[in-house]
């Protein structure tokens, strides 16, 4: 299947991406969203790309930070 120049939903992370945007548009600040993501053991986008894992309670790397979150919120094709 050819996906060139088309956006494809990654259903492995679609729910958490929706949650992030819902939290943000409902007034939750980026600091609290980052805290939520890290407290619930969601790997950052880099961590997900490298491991293929969405959540990992035993992880020591791939924490979310405000810069990553803000870049994601600003990117219309993210």
């Amino acid at each position: 299947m050819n996906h060139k120049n088309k956006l494809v939903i990654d259903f492995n992370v679609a729910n958490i991406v929706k949650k992030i945007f819902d939290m943000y548009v409902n007034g939750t600040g980026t600091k609290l969203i980052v805290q939520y993501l890290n407290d619930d053991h969601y790997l950052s986008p880099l961590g997900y790309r490298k491991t293929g894992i969405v959540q990992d309670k035993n992880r020591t790397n791939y924490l979310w930070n405000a810069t990553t979150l803000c870049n994601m919120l600003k990117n219309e094709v993210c």
Side-chain angles (χ1 to χ4, degrees):
M1 183 178 283
N2 185 1
H3 296 296
K4 186 175 181 179
N5 299 321
K6 294 182 182 178
L7 298 177
V8 178
I9 296 171
D10 183 340
F11 290 102
N12 292 323
V13 294
N15 287 340
I16 191 58
V17 171
K18 183 179 183 328
K19 174 78 172 173
I20 290 167
F21 280 90
D22 285 346
M23 290 174 76
Y24 187 72
V25 297
N26 286 310
T28 305
T30 56
K31 184 176 177 181
L32 288 177
I33 296 171
V34 167
Q35 183 178 346
Y36 166 80
L37 294 167
N38 287 327
D39 287 351
D40 281 11
H41 310 286
Y42 286 100
L43 272 63
S44 68
L46 176 63
Y48 173 65
R49 280 192 307 272
K50 286 191 171 203
T51 67
I53 299 170
V54 177
Q55 282 178 290
D56 183 0
K57 292 184 182 203
N58 299 314
R59 69 143 202 269
T60 57
N61 296 322
Y62 307 124
L63 294 175
W64 281 84
N65 61 55
T67 301
T68 300
L69 180 64
C70 289
N71 288 338
M72 182 179 154
L73 291 170
K74 290 177 188 176
N75 185 348
E76 294 181 10
V77 294
C78 170

